[in-house]
Amino acid sequence: MIDRRSFNKALGLGAGAAAASLTGLQGVADAAPLPGPGKAPVVPTVAPGTYTTFPPLKQIEAGLLNVGYAELGPARGPVVLCLHGWPYDIHSFVDVAPLLAGLGYRVIVPYLRGHGTTGFLSPRTFRNGQQSAIALDIIALMDALRIDKAVVAGFDWGSRTGDILAALWPERVKALVSVSGYLITNRATQLEPIAPAGEHTWWYQYYFATDRGEKAMQTKNLRHDLTRLVWQLVSPTWNFDDATFERTEAAFENPDYAAVVIHNYRWRLSVAGGERRYDRYEDRLAQKPTIGVPTITLDPALDPFTAPGDGSTYRAMFTGAYEHRTLAGIGHNLPQEAPTAFAQAVVDVDHF
């Protein structure tokens, strides 16, 4: 267990933390206005890893949390919320955010509950990882920041959260970019076995259902090896270096990290229960609501969770303006592996 001060020090987020790699962003507040509908600008091409750090993070009380988040771009620009997954953090968008900010967007990249500098306001709050709790965190963040509506873009947990926001609160979502498509969890479906190869891919989900898996997540060196192994398995061609992984791994030092992650996967399998306060939202999500906001779905072709890769398995769940794209040679962490393509999807869907 560590306190907030030592955690911030570990992340290098003190007052002197400079965004040296964001030197190209001076003057973003004066960026030219975005083109109108149907005239999406072309996003500049950057190599993955061009940027490595964010400006000093901000903190705000929102709902049950004190949320840590990065913010780039003009304060009055159209808002894009970038939502990360597991086992990742805000650095999945470290190249995406400056690309969008340079085009005049106000980019908000929050740490999800249990990650980074996002902490619970009360020690008595259950460290819940169920899907509707995370989605309501983002609604609370939008309210705290006085954001009425945003483009929401994410992958993994972030895709699921974006899907839920678009399904239950479409008035808050201008448009959606969802990697891997429709990821809203249906716990009844999760009770049924799938093909053995698919079960093998989900090995850590079942590991986390055991006391042994929980202890691994609570033990620093084992957590390090486990999460890095997941990176390697689900992004087989991404040649990330030690520094890239360690920047993200620092976010796993959050004292609530293991509890939130373990509950998330146990709840999905109905091994752990949720909280009654979220029942009405989960009841609606169990009905498999469709999504009507403008959407681009992205499938990373080398992600072992991508099947069949053409979006056909979830196409019917998106009833509004829609486009699907498959990215060849890309694994699970799509925004960090292919930042230009991800940012272009955000800009394009905003101009549907």
Side-chain angles (χ1 to χ4, degrees), residues 4-350:
R4 178 63 55 81
R5 178 178 296 178
S6 59
F7 182 73
N8 285 348
K9 184 177 180 181
L11 285 180
L13 299 175
S21 62
L22 298 177
T23 53
L25 290 183
Q26 283 86 357
V28 161
D30 299 320
L34 290 168
K39 299 179 181 178
V42 175
V43 175
T45 299
V46 300
T50 296
Y51 301 101
T52 58
T53 61
F54 286 101
L57 298 192
K58 299 181 178 182
Q59 298 288 143
I60 191 169
E61 291 190 4
L64 300 174
L65 305 173
N66 185 293
V67 179
Y69 65 100
E71 179 171 356
L72 291 80
R76 295 185 180 180
V79 180
V80 178
L81 283 169
C82 294
L83 306 178
H84 68 79
W86 182 91
Y88 305 95
D89 81 329
I90 64 174
H91 288 87
S92 289
F93 302 100
V94 73
D95 287 311
V96 169
L99 287 174
L100 295 174
L103 291 172
Y105 287 97
R106 179 188 179 193
V107 186
I108 307 293
V109 192
Y111 280 115
L112 299 185
R113 58 169 54 195
H115 294 71
T117 61
T118 293
F120 289 86
L121 295 174
S122 171
R124 296 185 297 275
T125 302
F126 177 57
R127 276 36 180 174
N128 188 334
Q130 73 183 98
Q131 60 183 358
S132 59
I134 297 171
L136 283 163
D137 290 344
I138 303 304
I139 292 293
L141 176 63
M142 293 177 72
D143 290 344
L145 294 174
R146 299 182 180 180
I147 296 170
D148 178 61
K149 182 176 286 192
V151 177
V152 180
F155 77 107
D156 196 86
W157 289 22
S159 289
R160 179 172 298 107
T161 304
D163 292 348
I164 293 169
L165 296 176
L168 299 189
W169 295 278
E171 71 280 1
R172 306 300 296 271
V173 180
K174 182 181 181 183
L176 175 69
V177 174
S178 183
V179 176
S180 304
Y182 191 89
L183 293 186
I184 295 175
T185 297
N186 184 291
R187 293 213 295 170
T189 301
Q190 290 271 341
L191 292 174
E192 298 300 320
I194 60 175
E199 301 282 25
H200 177 266
T201 301
W202 280 106
W203 64 273
Y204 58 84
Q205 179 171 252
Y206 310 121
Y207 185 44
F208 291 160
T210 69
D211 291 342
R212 187 168 170 157
E214 183 175 17
K215 290 177 181 177
M217 286 301 291
Q218 294 169 342
T219 306
K220 182 177 176 63
N221 65 313
L222 295 176
R223 182 175 63 236
H224 169 278
D225 293 349
L226 187 154
T227 51
R228 186 172 179 123
L229 176 62
V230 171
W231 278 35
Q232 294 167 340
L233 293 175
V234 302
S235 294
T237 60
W238 183 32
N239 295 316
F240 60 89
D241 58 18
D242 290 343
T244 297
F245 178 75
E246 288 163 6
R247 279 189 290 271
T248 287
E249 187 196 20
F252 308 161
E253 292 296 314
N254 185 303
D256 299 311
Y257 181 75
V260 170
V261 171
I262 292 297
H263 183 261
N264 177 283
Y265 288 101
R266 289 183 177 181
W267 177 86
R268 292 193 209 180
L269 293 176
S270 297
V271 176
E275 292 181 272
R276 292 184 61 184
R277 69 169 88 186
Y278 302 115
D279 284 352
R280 59 177 172 144
Y281 305 107
E282 297 297 346
D283 289 344
R284 292 173 64 189
L285 295 173
Q287 297 171 24
K288 300 180 180 180
T290 57
I291 293 171
V293 306
T295 299
I296 290 178
T297 55
L298 302 173
D299 275 348
L302 297 184
D303 183 351
F305 302 110
T306 296
D310 60 3
S312 62
T313 57
Y314 51 72
R315 173 63 184 91
M317 305 310 296
F318 298 94
T319 60
Y322 178 83
E323 184 178 330
H324 174 76
R325 301 172 183 177
T326 297
L327 275 68
I330 301 300
H332 189 72
N333 187 6
L334 191 154
Q336 199 162 1
E337 296 180 59
T340 301
F342 187 88
Q344 189 66 62
V346 172
V347 174
D348 289 346
V349 78
D350 186 37

